[in-house]
Amino acid sequence: MIRDDKKLLTLLKTAAGQIEGIQKMLTEKKYCLDISNQIMACQAILGKVNKEVLKAHLHGCVMSATGKDKEEKMDELSLLIDKLVK
């Protein structure tokens, strides 16, 4: 699986636009739940980007590694999973 950087950059630009919108909403003292909904939408985009990056890492870096390098890649991935589920 090859990482689709163009797609990921588009998603990140969308998230950046949402963050700017959230900042504007705060400045304009918009309704708290509306702000929270926008924050959750931005988090969902970032989660999607992270998932795609991790999938590409699994299919590329981890699967193609051999021997001790593969063990190190698996250990790195395990540490990252620990961060994701804490």
Side-chain angles (χ1 to χ4, degrees):
M1 173 181 182
I2 297 173
R3 192 176 71 207
D4 186 350
D5 287 349
K6 184 176 179 181
K7 175 184 169 186
L8 297 178
L9 286 169
T10 299
L11 287 169
L12 288 172
K13 287 177 185 176
T14 300
Q18 284 183 312
I19 290 171
E20 288 177 13
I22 294 164
Q23 291 170 330
K24 183 177 178 185
M25 291 174 80
L26 288 167
T27 301
E28 296 173 354
K29 309 248 186 262
K30 297 292 183 180
Y31 188 56
C32 296
L33 295 183
D34 292 339
I35 294 168
S36 183
N37 277 317
Q38 289 304 309
I39 291 169
M40 288 186 290
C42 188
Q43 288 172 322
I45 291 173
L46 293 174
K48 184 175 182 174
V49 170
N50 194 31
K51 183 173 79 170
E52 292 300 315
V53 168
L54 289 174
K55 273 190 200 177
H57 179 68
L58 270 173
H59 290 279
C61 299
V62 176
M63 295 299 285
S64 65
T66 58
K68 187 175 179 182
D69 190 40
K70 189 165 196 148
E71 277 185 50
E72 289 174 2
K73 297 286 184 204
M74 294 299 288
D75 289 343
E76 289 174 343
L77 194 56
S78 180
L79 290 172
L80 185 66
I81 290 169
D82 288 344
K83 288 179 186 179
L84 286 171
V85 296
K86 82 169 164 166

